Amino acid sequence: MISEKTTSINKQLSFEEFKKEILNDYRVAVLSRECSLLGRREVLTGKAKFGIFGDGKEIPQLAMAKAFKKGDFRSGYYRDQTFMMAIGMLTPQQLFAGLYAHPNIKDEPFSAGRQMGAHFASHSLDENGNWKNLTKQYNISADMSATASQMPRLVGLGQASKIYRELDTLKKHGEKFSNNGNEIAWGTIGNASTSEGLFFETINAAGVLQVPMIVSVWDDEYGISVHAKHHTTKESISEVLKGFQRDKENEGIEIFVVNGWDYVQLIDTYNKAAKLVREKHIPALIHVTELTQPQGHSTSGSHERYKSKERLQWEQDFDCNVKFREWILEFELESNGETFRFVDNEDILIKIEKEAKKEVSKAKRDAWNAYISPIKEEQQQAILLLNDVASSSSNKHFIVKLTNDLQAISEPSRKEVHETVRQSFIYLTDNKSTEKTALLNWYSAETIKTQQMYNTYLYNDSKSGVTKVKEIKPTYAKEKQLVDGRIIIRDNFEAIFNKYPEVLAFGEDVGKIGDVNQGMEGLQLKFGEIRIADTGIREPTIIGQGVGLALRGLRPIAEIQYIDYLVYALQTLTDDLSSLRYRTFGKQKAPLIIRTRGHRLEGIWHSGSPMSMILGSLRGMVILVPRNMQKAAGFYNTLLKSDEPALVIECLNGYRLKEELPTNLGEFTTSIGVVETLKEGADITVVSYGSTLRIVQETAKQLLQANIDVEVIDVQSLLPFDINHDIVKSLQKTNKLLIVDEDVPGGASAYILQEILEKQNGYQYLDSKPTTVTSKAHRPAYGSDGDYYSKPNANDIFEVAYAIMNESNPTKYPTLF
Ligand SMILES: Cc1ncc(C[n+]2csc(CCOP(=O)(O)OP(=O)(O)O)c2C)c(N)n1
Ligand SMILES: [Mg+2]
């Protein structure tokens, strides 16, 4: 079994070094396999909740690891444990720590137990939240479970190399992020997941942009129980993608096909692909076929239920580890009359296998002990405190029973300890003892601890957080200069592009014409086609592109042309971008700014304000709703001084409205999380945002004529919301609340109500029912009449505000109708 490829690998290495490498690869492969086997048992015995492993995919991952260099990024899925072990970023103990969901970042370095096992991430940020030097480390963008969700950001991860290579102005900024753009973005995906639209969209975008990325498809012919014939046309993704294949005339994608059990071919293929992609900046796909699932898909079921006997037998015969072992045993190389072998017989391999078993078994034990010991300590502390408090309690018997039950659990969960303590408080309501105080104090400290374990890092809460950016007010020329709102946006962007070389903008129609409303008019000519770029119509990968670029230290502004199209990208936004900081325990960030426009749009597909969809799914992002372009420009300036992902929704009908042009463009900031009172008034507090505010302001004038003096408050920032609790201060004065919102009933208005009534305790000051004026529940009908009867209008607002006043003082405000 000697091939040319083997000798080509061998060329660089002496045979002894080669042999060492082969045997080490075998060691990693069996170590990883042992982890999968033992890991599954841990789930079946109940120590872990769910397990998904990389068995059957070991050998191609060894090959990928050899071609993966420092500075490169991987964006993959839950099968890549062998790859992670091969690059030295995963120990068996860490894999088990993930399985047990160990909530300590030191033990479980990928997510501190927040993600399921085998979901990996590297640390891009240091302890203070600052960028590390990413060129000096292997980079793993945080895995996700949703199939193909790792694909969109690959576009940006790859494109960043291109940008760093091509833009001289980024040399200084790029020092921590790129070595002349030599980095490859590596994707991994299962065969079945290639059926997702996200996959095809990513492949097409990568082909168009010609970004250095290599996607490996681990093809085991199945997606859980469903065979390839139900997933993929012709049952082969490489066949399907042939139209993307690059050739002499056209750029495209380089496609490789290789059997997943063929170590030699795999190494050759990965080396070839990496050289091509790294040097030439082209995308490639490696279709790795004939892989297996020795234990089936996950711990949730057995594959005997859906695979034929023949298939199961084939999987045993073609198990990549088995084939690798056979190859090692059979290998012979004749050179100068000498015969070289890796091994003379099985003994060395058996030794490696035995050692792997031992090592994994110990790693499992160590991981479990590290996980369970602190909880057992807490259990003992709780028992001591409960025993103490029981003796002073009239409900002693109940507490003793609780304590005994807790004591009887030999390997408790933290939840069981805390449940017991919390239940004991039910029996201690009349207890004033010092023992109870001791128990309470202990529990408060525990709450702080668990809060840090499970509820931190949704946002950047440090002093570099977005709400900490100092306000800089706009300044104006002596002679008032009124311009269309879009000019403020445009000129402010120009100042931004001058100020920050790492900022770039892209989206549909953003490049040549400078967006459909010309907020970037002429900027492509000034700053070039890389920094101000048109994209295809592909919202998920526009966002993915932004995520990937932001992960690599750039400051992208990705445009979604109209807010209604955000729904196309929602999966990437909600699963990836908004959860990124949280799910990596603050070790990664993607400060992507998304620019879009909406509100008061027309018709069913352009209703313009799906705010509850956004608020419900994008916690972890900043959501801004500026009422005019000066406010919007100020928000961009603020966002660039911090590092939070954000969505800025500009008012579509505001671009042509006249506003005063500030002189300190690119400098002035709009504070985030702070409301603005647009009109003071004593009778009713009206809270709104965006375009609807203009209607509210008009109506306020009419209401004044009817002797109703409303206070108008612009929310401006939905996430975070009114951090200074200014709205409740207004309620203290008016005692009445009306929320005007063009989202559906119970949409954003319900969110605003919860903030004011519950979080700010606004209910205390109300002397009439808090009321909302919203759109109808259906999408708005088309046309001006459709809008009038579907969305909140001035008459609605007037009548509702009047009715509130009528109810409180019918003499002063007699019934309208
Ligand atoms: C969007 C989405 N749909 C369904 C699932 C449930 N699911 C998890 S893995 C999987 C099969 C994936 O198969 P494949 O891509 O071939 O990867 P493999 O597990 O075989 O390596 C499915 C359907 C999911 N995680 N995400
Ligand atoms: Mg599969």
Side-chain angles (χ1 to χ4, degrees), residues 36-325:
S36 303
L37 299 174
L38 210 55
R40 184 178 169 87
R41 288 230 299 273
E42 284 302 272
V43 177
L44 300 184
T45 59
K47 275 201 170 127
K49 270 207 142 165
F50 174 75
I52 191 136
F53 302 102
D55 46 317
K57 318 282 187 292
E58 289 89 347
I59 306 304
Q61 293 183 22
L62 294 172
M64 178 170 142
K66 285 184 204 299
F68 193 85
K69 300 270 175 277
K70 296 239 162 104
D72 285 0
F73 259 87
R74 166 188 163 281
S75 178
Y77 79 120
Y78 49 79
R79 293 278 181 227
D80 292 346
Q81 70 194 48
T82 314
F83 168 80
M84 292 296 289
M85 287 178 176
I87 60 171
M89 285 190 70
L90 173 71
T91 64
Q93 184 169 334
Q94 287 166 340
L95 190 81
F96 282 94
L99 207 57
Y100 304 136
H102 193 140
N104 185 327
I105 194 74
K106 291 208 171 70
D107 295 86
E108 201 284 86
F110 311 111
S111 73
R114 289 179 180 191
Q115 290 238 74
M116 277 177 182
H119 286 62
F120 306 114
S122 56
H123 295 190
S124 299
L125 306 176
D126 65 19
E127 297 67 37
N128 304 316
N130 297 318
W131 288 111
K132 293 167 72 181
N133 188 331
L134 305 189
T135 66
K136 301 228 178 313
Q137 62 179 39
Y138 296 122
N139 298 293
I140 308 295
S141 59
D143 289 354
M144 286 176 281
S145 304
T147 51
S149 56
Q150 71 276 27
M151 294 303 292
R153 67 184 178 213
L154 264 173
V155 179
L157 288 173
Q159 198 198 7
S161 292
K162 212 173 165 84
I163 290 169
Y164 282 121
R165 191 178 283 180
E166 289 179 15
L167 285 185
D168 283 343
T169 44
L170 281 174
K171 284 273 169 306
K172 178 98 200 69
H173 174 83
E175 277 168 6
K176 281 185 166 179
F177 304 107
S178 179
N179 177 12
N180 193 34
N182 288 340
E183 305 77 20
I184 294 175
W186 298 80
T188 66
I189 185 166
N191 57 298
S193 302
T194 64
S195 307
E196 296 278 11
L198 294 179
F199 172 81
F200 285 95
E201 194 182 303
T202 301
I203 294 293
N204 182 54
V208 169
L209 291 168
Q210 289 293 293
V211 300
M213 111 188 174
I214 299 178
V215 175
S216 296
V217 180
W218 307 144
D219 190 347
D220 55 20
E221 258 186 69
Y222 282 84
I224 310 187
S225 66
V226 180
H227 185 260
K229 68 182 175 207
H230 301 295
H231 281 294
T232 311
T233 308
K234 302 182 185 181
E235 295 184 28
S236 165
I237 195 63
S238 47
E239 278 295 313
V240 170
L241 294 179
K242 274 191 170 154
F244 285 94
Q245 173 68 51
R246 65 199 270 273
D247 55 34
K248 286 206 173 69
E249 276 87 51
N250 293 301
E251 291 181 330
I253 290 170
E254 193 60 48
I255 298 172
F256 300 85
V257 184
V258 58
N259 285 329
W261 44 263
D262 189 337
Y263 178 81
V264 176
Q265 293 287 353
L266 282 163
I267 290 187
D268 187 57
T269 305
Y270 272 88
N271 282 341
K272 247 193 219 151
K275 187 166 165 21
L276 191 67
V277 171
R278 213 178 282 285
E279 285 172 8
K280 294 216 157 49
H281 273 187
I282 53 140
L285 178 129
I286 304 178
H287 182 191
V288 183
T289 57
E290 300 204 1
L291 288 169
T292 67
Q293 303 173 329
Q295 304 188 104
H297 173 75
S298 71
T299 51
S300 298
S302 75
H303 58 158
E304 285 80 8
R305 287 180 300 162
Y306 50 82
K307 285 180 187 162
S308 67
K309 268 206 182 88
E310 293 71 37
R311 170 76 196 183
L312 289 166
Q313 185 56 52
W314 179 87
E315 289 205 9
Q316 280 191 20
D317 298 341
F318 281 78
D319 181 321
C320 59
N321 283 13
V322 170
K323 296 292 270 182
F324 186 33
R325 192 181 198 276

Side-chain angles (χ1 to χ4, degrees), residues 429-630:
T429 48
D430 60 348
N431 191 308
K432 303 265 180 298
S433 66
T434 52
E435 288 81 2
K436 181 181 169 185
T437 310
L439 185 64
L440 267 174
N441 289 344
W442 180 84
Y443 181 66
S444 316
E446 285 289 295
T447 308
I448 292 167
K449 200 165 79 186
T450 51
Q451 148 90 9
Q452 277 162 0
M453 282 173 181
Y454 296 104
N455 308 119
T456 45
Y457 295 114
L458 183 57
Y459 290 96
N460 174 359
D461 294 324
S462 76
K463 58 181 189 303
S464 61
V466 85
T467 57
K468 314 283 192 316
V469 176
K470 256 185 55 197
E471 187 187 2
I472 300 174
K473 292 211 186 311
T475 53
Y476 297 100
K478 269 204 192 106
E479 206 154 308
K480 194 169 183 174
Q481 205 187 345
L482 283 179
V483 294
D484 283 355
R486 70 147 189 122
I487 302 292
I488 297 179
I489 281 281
R490 185 196 64 186
D491 292 359
N492 191 71
F493 276 133
E494 182 172 349
I496 283 174
F497 286 115
N498 275 320
K499 186 171 169 183
Y500 300 99
E502 67 274 27
V503 171
L504 41 138
F506 48 87
E508 298 153 20
D509 301 293
V510 165
K512 202 166 202 125
I513 64 166
D515 92 48
V516 285
N517 293 90
Q518 297 190 291
M520 296 211 184
E521 182 199 16
L523 298 187
Q524 190 183 59
L525 275 178
K526 287 190 177 130
F527 298 100
E529 289 184 20
I530 295 178
R531 291 190 69 194
I532 323 281
D534 282 316
T535 67
I537 306 173
R538 48 173 181 79
E539 288 77 11
T541 50
I542 288 175
I543 297 304
Q545 200 175 330
V547 174
L549 293 171
L551 281 167
R552 293 195 58 192
L554 294 164
R555 289 306 307 260
I557 301 175
E559 175 168 320
I560 297 295
Q561 198 160 74
Y562 296 104
I563 194 175
D564 293 76
Y565 312 144
L566 199 74
V567 71
Y568 275 69
L570 198 64
Q571 193 276 331
T572 304
L573 286 167
T574 183
D575 285 344
D576 195 0
L577 183 59
S578 52
S579 77
L580 182 72
R581 200 188 286 269
Y582 175 80
R583 76 180 194 275
T584 60
F585 202 74
K587 296 301 176 195
Q588 287 186 14
K589 65 176 178 183
L592 165 64
I593 297 173
I594 298 156
R595 178 182 182 224
T596 190
R597 52 189 70 84
H599 307 314
R600 295 317 290 200
L601 281 168
E602 295 276 346
I604 289 177
W605 316 116
H606 305 84
S607 36
S609 220
M611 302 310 297
S612 41
M613 169 188 93
I614 290 166
L615 289 166
S617 56
L618 302 186
R619 304 294 165 112
M621 283 180 68
V622 170
I623 309 293
L624 303 170
V625 281
R627 69 178 180 278
N628 61 30
M629 298 306 149
Q630 181 240 297

